[in-house]
């Protein structure tokens, strides 16, 4: 989700912060959720496996409570529109000469 608390080897200053994105925050506010809950539920509704990281019991509980929410078709469309092809995990250690990140990441956008 772009946590600024990720270690310096796992982030760059220009990484987008989805937790602060205006679209995510608007949807969160309308549903009385945290931005993280919105993004967790969005990923679940897409059929993605979600592995959360929580630094507090409150955050762990919020992650579980995200499963109780159902985003509208319009919410999902708005969140899907944020797709930029950006990957937080750059997989640079796994790149070998002559290989690109496309060899590692399937760049097909799921809808």
């Amino acid at each position: 989700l772009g946590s600024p608390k990720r270690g310096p080897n796992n982030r760059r200053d220009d990484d987008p912060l989805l937790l602060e994105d205006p679209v995510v925050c608007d949807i969160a506010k309308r549903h009385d959720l945290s931005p993280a809950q919105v993004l967790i539920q969005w990923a679940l509704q897409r059929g993605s496996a979600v592995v959360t990281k929580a630094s507090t019991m409150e955050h762990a509980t919020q992650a579980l409570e995200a499963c109780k929410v159902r985003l509208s078709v319009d919410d999902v469309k708005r969140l899907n529109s944020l797709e930029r092809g950006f990957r937080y995990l750059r997989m640079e250690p796994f790149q070998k000469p002559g290989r690109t990140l496309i060899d590692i990441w399937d760049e097909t956008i799921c809808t």
Side-chain angles (χ1 to χ4, degrees):
L1 303 177
S3 171
K5 294 181 181 178
R6 289 175 293 136
N9 292 335
N10 294 321
R11 66 178 159 81
R12 294 189 179 144
D13 290 340
D14 61 343
D15 284 356
L17 296 176
L18 288 175
L19 296 171
E20 297 176 4
D21 186 279
V23 170
V24 175
C25 291
D26 177 62
I27 293 169
K29 184 176 180 180
R30 284 190 300 103
H31 290 281
D32 194 30
L33 300 170
S34 72
Q37 288 174 306
V38 168
L39 293 169
I40 290 167
Q41 183 54 32
W42 169 75
L44 291 171
Q45 284 183 222
R46 289 176 42 135
S48 298
V50 177
V51 179
T52 62
K53 174 193 167 284
S55 56
T56 66
M57 185 59 82
E58 179 185 3
H59 288 164
T61 301
Q62 284 180 352
L64 290 172
E65 289 176 354
C67 298
K68 298 177 183 177
V69 177
R70 192 83 182 149
L71 300 175
S72 71
V73 171
D74 185 55
D75 291 335
V76 171
K77 284 181 182 178
R78 291 179 67 203
L79 292 165
N80 286 345
S81 75
L82 300 177
E83 174 62 52
R84 303 290 184 269
F86 180 85
R87 302 292 179 254
Y88 287 101
L89 297 174
R90 291 180 178 80
M91 306 303 282
E92 291 164 349
F94 299 101
Q95 280 187 272
K96 297 186 177 174
R99 293 189 67 196
T100 68
L101 288 179
I102 292 174
D103 296 326
I104 297 169
W105 291 113
D106 174 8
E107 292 300 331
T108 303
I109 297 174
C110 300
T111 57

